[in-house]
Amino acid sequence: MNIQIDGKTCIAEPGESILETARRNNIDIPSLCHHEALPGLACCRLCVVEIEDATGNRLVVASCVYPVAESVTVYTNTEKIKKHRRTNLTLLAGHVPEVKGVLLAYCREYGVIRDDSHMKAVVKEKCILCGLCVTACEALGNSAIQMAMRGIDRVVAPPFNEPSLNCIGCASCARVCPTDAIDCESVSGNRKIWGKTFSLVKCAACGEPYATVDELDWLKGKLLDTELNLAYCPNCRRRVSVNTGK
Amino acid sequence: MILPRERLLELFQAYPRDRRYALPLLQDIQKQCGYLPKEHIIEAAGYLGVPLSRIYAMATYYRSFSLEPRGKYVIKVCDGTACHIKDSKNVLETLKGLLCVGVGGMDKDGLFSVETVNCLGACALAPVMMIGEEYFGKLTEESITEILEGFRKREAVVAGI
């Protein structure tokens, strides 16, 4: 189906979200809590866009969860949308005053000056509580972390704030995190994450550490009858399988 | 109070193994134990086939659940708008003086624990508190002392002293 985004005709797949269609067609919509492999969370609210239906009614929606429809026209960068994004950025930046990276870049792009004089911000806080790490962990099938507590005490944490038995140290949570809020250290053959230490496995070809022992054990359980050679890192594995024809 | 394994399994048997029964199951445990012991949460997650992190999230989300042991009588001091204006802070101070516990704490006999709630819906009686299922309104320092004494006497009778 075809959909109009910012005056450009874009081809959309049924069931896709506006955000996915737009990004595939090189139209940039800012967002923090979206990952292409995971369903939309509609949490950071930076991906808001305006849609106009056949009767001319306009509506502000979160594009990461709004499914595409032929009858709507999408505007991603109107003054109204910019204003909404500025408000949301102000709130996010107030919550995590010292955060760098994507959020800081968006703040600069939208001209948001961090003013936390009227709110009590936790200076060291980096997490915006978008829940992307929780969703990623769940999607992988481990569910080692969850949003615990409520209100101002809300945190992402493993059960009882203790190292989780389910955690395999894959660090997917840290990788998807838009604000680098999850502490993950890899030093001298060990990876430390969520208070648990994992031994890293080195690739048989290039020698780079690429996974933890627990992660590979877990993968072996999942891939019972596939001949994936887990001795190599994903890059080398590709090369080896091309060379050996396996 | 931690339940013996057989008793816990009996509680579990009342519900099918499905995640939607997590909340009533936790409520049953809380009712029996007065709080949610860590061991029981782990067992419950295993029984329902739900990740432990989810049950933990649920247990920490709801205010009616407690992960810490609580006294036999839970004192809920209202800190809603009306009670706040009628100096509910003083109620807490008085309780602190009498029981030597702050908000969220339990006294040394394990008889009372103190919590605040946002509104008990009895604003005309402000400042108000609940002990167990009983309401006590228009509190003063004297009346609080009397109320607590009443509960202590009741306990002494139960204990047959």
Side-chain angles (χ1 to χ4, degrees):
Chain A
M1 72 170 98
N2 289 328
I3 174 169
Q4 290 285 329
I5 304 179
D6 288 345
K8 186 180 171 188
T9 309
C10 302
I11 299 164
E13 302 292 331
E16 219 174 25
S17 67
I18 293 176
L19 181 77
E20 285 169 309
T21 310
R23 286 201 172 161
R24 209 156 25 76
N25 287 279
N26 296 323
I27 297 167
D28 183 45
I29 296 177
S31 98
L32 290 171
C33 71
H34 190 262
H35 189 276
E36 53 191 11
L38 300 167
L41 298 175
C43 190
C44 71
R45 312 305 283 195
L46 290 187
C47 69
V48 283
V49 294
E50 261 193 294
I51 57 166
E52 192 180 280
D53 64 13
T55 54
N57 280 336
R58 282 202 170 202
L59 204 66
V60 175
V61 298
S63 65
C64 68
V65 287
Y66 201 89
V68 285
E70 217 148 9
S71 54
V72 301
T73 316
V74 182
Y75 303 94
T76 69
N77 224 0
T78 59
E79 278 311 310
K80 189 176 182 181
I81 287 302
K82 280 186 201 162
K83 197 184 142 217
H84 279 309
R85 285 186 188 147
R86 268 198 292 275
T87 308
N88 293 341
L89 279 168
T90 312
L91 291 169
L92 287 170
H95 184 68
V96 287
E98 277 183 12
V99 83
K100 296 171 184 75
V102 203
L103 180 54
L104 184 61
Y106 281 142
C107 283
R108 288 202 177 122
E109 188 184 333
Y110 283 84
V112 170
I113 302 150
R114 286 186 229 186
D115 174 20
D116 45 24
S117 54
H118 55 288
M119 45 169 138
K120 212 170 129 191
V122 185
V123 176
K124 294 281 173 219
E125 186 59 74
K126 286 180 178 172
C127 177
I128 56 165
L129 297 170
C130 68
L132 196 57
C133 51
V134 172
T135 316
C137 194
E138 233 169 51
L140 283 164
N142 291 308
S143 275
I145 46 171
Q146 264 293 336
M147 294 265 192
M149 317 299 279
R150 69 189 295 167
I152 55 166
D153 298 321
R154 202 148 173 80
V155 283
V156 174
F160 306 103
N161 257 326
E162 290 167 7
S164 166
L165 289 174
N166 292 346
C167 183
I168 54 170
C170 67
S172 302
C173 48
R175 232 168 284 137
V176 296
C177 180
T179 56
D180 285 330
I182 297 170
D183 288 328
C184 175
E185 288 178 15
S186 297
V187 270
S188 59
N190 286 318
R191 177 184 284 161
K192 238 178 133 177
I193 189 163
W194 293 116
K196 208 171 163 184
T197 309
F198 298 90
S199 320
L200 287 167
V201 180
K202 282 180 182 154
C203 170
C206 65
E208 281 296 310
Y210 71 102
T212 64
V213 176
D214 298 53
E215 195 181 345
L216 292 185
D217 284 345
W218 178 80
L219 266 176
K220 275 173 205 153
K222 288 265 160 189
L223 309 165
L224 286 177
D225 35 60
T226 34
E227 287 181 26
L228 201 57
N229 196 338
L230 292 174
Y232 302 106
C233 72
N235 281 335
C236 295
R237 193 183 304 143
R238 222 165 288 143
R239 199 176 324 119
V240 170
S241 61
V242 166
N243 291 343
T244 57
K246 263 188 186 172
Chain B
M1 181 186 68
I2 290 170
L3 297 174
R5 218 187 131 73
E6 312 84 66
R7 181 76 195 91
L8 188 67
L9 290 179
E10 238 171 73
L11 283 185
F12 289 174
Q13 293 307 317
Y15 301 99
R17 288 170 178 256
D18 194 280
R19 62 186 270 184
R20 69 187 143 137
Y21 298 105
L23 195 55
L25 188 50
L26 290 184
Q27 282 172 321
D28 283 1
I29 298 173
Q30 166 99 12
K31 209 171 187 179
Q32 293 291 325
C33 307
Y35 74 110
L36 295 176
K38 185 179 165 188
E39 299 86 340
H40 291 1
I41 296 181
I42 297 172
E43 291 262 8
Y47 174 78
L48 297 166
V50 179
L52 177 60
S53 59
R54 278 198 155 264
I55 302 290
Y56 174 73
M58 196 180 242
T60 53
Y61 181 80
Y62 292 103
R63 279 282 293 272
S64 59
F65 290 138
S66 167
L67 295 189
E68 300 295 326
R70 296 197 297 181
K72 185 172 176 189
Y73 299 104
V74 179
I75 306 177
K76 290 177 183 158
V77 180
C78 183
D79 197 22
T81 316
C83 291
H84 193 83
I85 289 169
K86 285 276 192 176
D87 209 5
S88 56
K89 222 175 186 177
N90 191 31
V91 176
L92 286 174
E93 287 298 319
T94 310
L95 286 171
K96 198 175 180 181
L98 289 168
L99 301 170
C100 303
V101 284
V103 176
M106 181 171 70
D107 73 342
K108 61 179 194 315
D109 309 328
L111 196 59
F112 297 106
S113 53
V114 181
E115 287 175 9
T116 57
V117 286
N118 290 329
C119 186
L120 288 173
C123 306
L125 298 176
V128 62
M129 69 177 183
M130 263 180 106
I131 303 184
E133 297 296 310
E134 275 175 81
Y135 278 86
F136 299 94
K138 302 199 169 160
L139 297 167
T140 57
E141 279 178 38
E142 294 77 44
S143 71
I144 295 171
T145 318
E146 263 174 47
I147 292 161
L148 292 191
E149 272 314 305
F151 271 88
R152 288 224 170 93
K153 271 187 194 139
R154 219 191 280 180
E155 268 308 295
V157 171
V158 172
I161 304 165

